[in-house]
Amino acid sequence: AQTQVNQLQDSLDSKLEKRRRGVYGPPAGKLLSIFVDDLNMPQKEFYGAQPPIELLRQWHDHRGWYNRKDLTFQEVVDVVHV
């Protein structure tokens, strides 16, 4: 079973709610904890990238990711990566 980037993003987005324009997070007063068990599991694509890891890297570097539908940046707050 390989993790697809769309599955990962949909799973994370389902736990988030809109705080204000362009900012998403868990319900008010709570923190979302993301536990990644094995970072080397996603299969490499043709060019050698691992998109699920790239999504986590984008969150770590830029505090968010792009919405796939309207291509706007979503800042993700109150999230802890373990």
Side-chain angles (χ1 to χ4, degrees):
Q2 296 293 323
T3 304
Q4 300 295 322
V5 69
N6 291 345
Q7 292 172 329
L8 175 63
Q9 189 171 0
D10 290 341
S11 175
L12 293 173
D13 283 342
S14 71
K15 307 294 183 202
L16 303 174
E17 61 183 28
K18 190 171 186 175
R19 298 273 182 92
R20 56 186 182 277
R21 192 177 114 193
V23 179
Y24 293 80
K30 297 191 178 198
L31 289 175
L32 175 64
S33 184
I34 300 173
F35 177 76
V36 180
D37 187 25
D38 194 351
L39 273 174
N40 294 320
M41 286 296 290
Q43 185 176 6
K44 291 184 180 179
E45 63 177 14
F46 180 76
Y47 296 104
Q50 294 174 304
I53 295 175
E54 293 298 319
L55 183 72
L56 294 175
R57 182 202 54 79
Q58 186 176 25
W59 169 76
H60 192 271
D61 290 349
H62 302 286
R63 294 290 178 212
W65 49 73
Y66 284 89
N67 183 332
R68 293 190 318 265
K69 293 177 185 167
D70 54 4
L71 301 178
T72 58
F73 187 76
Q74 296 180 179
E75 181 181 357
V76 180
V77 297
D78 293 336
V79 175
V80 178
H81 180 206
V82 180

